[in-house]
Amino acid sequence: MAQVIVTVNDRPYTMQCPDGEEEQLRELAKLLDTEVSRIKSNVGAVGDIRLLVMAGLMVADRLSESVRRIEELEDQLRSAREARNVTAQQAREMEAKFAERMEIAAQRLQGLAAKIP
């Protein structure tokens, strides 16, 4: 396990994470610190625990919204794939009908050509 010192609300915290994930942990701490700073500028001085809870809720809200949006996009993608499959099937059916009609037309033309001396 790696140890990383992150800073949130101008305070250092020593955290552990799996080796190789140190930069990810720093980025997450930076995101939390940004939310803490935003709340402090809007709300003013509040206790550290309340400040961190508020920041955590803000991050959780953003995560929740992102998950909802991903689910919407997955639904749209699924619908688009289904529409594509229906359209492809319709195209195959139309192609088969067209080929059948072309065959009938070719047979008629051959019949007419045979009647011409």
Side-chain angles (χ1 to χ4, degrees), residues 24-117:
Q24 175 69 8
L25 180 57
R26 286 185 191 98
E27 289 297 317
L28 293 172
K30 185 178 176 182
L31 173 68
L32 184 61
D33 188 53
T34 299
E35 289 299 328
V36 166
S37 297
R38 185 175 304 143
I39 292 168
K40 278 174 55 175
S41 68
N42 289 335
V43 175
V46 295
D48 286 347
I49 300 293
R50 183 173 177 176
L51 187 62
L52 288 174
V53 168
M54 292 170 70
L57 290 172
M58 297 297 288
V59 171
D61 182 54
R62 289 173 56 189
L63 173 62
S64 175
E65 181 60 27
S66 296
V67 167
R68 185 193 62 75
R69 183 65 179 134
I70 287 169
E71 289 171 349
E72 283 179 3
L73 291 171
E74 286 174 339
D75 287 345
Q76 290 175 7
L77 180 60
R78 192 172 13 268
S79 294
R81 285 180 177 157
E82 289 172 2
R84 179 196 64 195
N85 291 340
V86 168
T87 301
Q89 180 61 33
Q90 290 173 340
R92 286 189 293 273
E93 290 170 2
M94 289 177 69
E95 185 179 307
K97 287 179 184 178
F98 180 73
E100 181 182 319
R101 289 181 181 162
M102 288 296 289
E103 181 63 31
I104 291 170
Q107 289 173 2
R108 286 182 183 166
L109 285 173
Q110 286 175 346
L112 289 174
K115 291 180 182 178
I116 298 176

Side-chain angles (χ1 to χ4, degrees), residues 2-19:
Q3 284 194 346
V4 178
I5 297 174
V6 298
T7 303
V8 176
N9 197 25
D10 299 323
R11 288 189 176 87
Y13 296 92
T14 302
M15 308 297 289
Q16 289 186 338
C17 67
D19 291 333

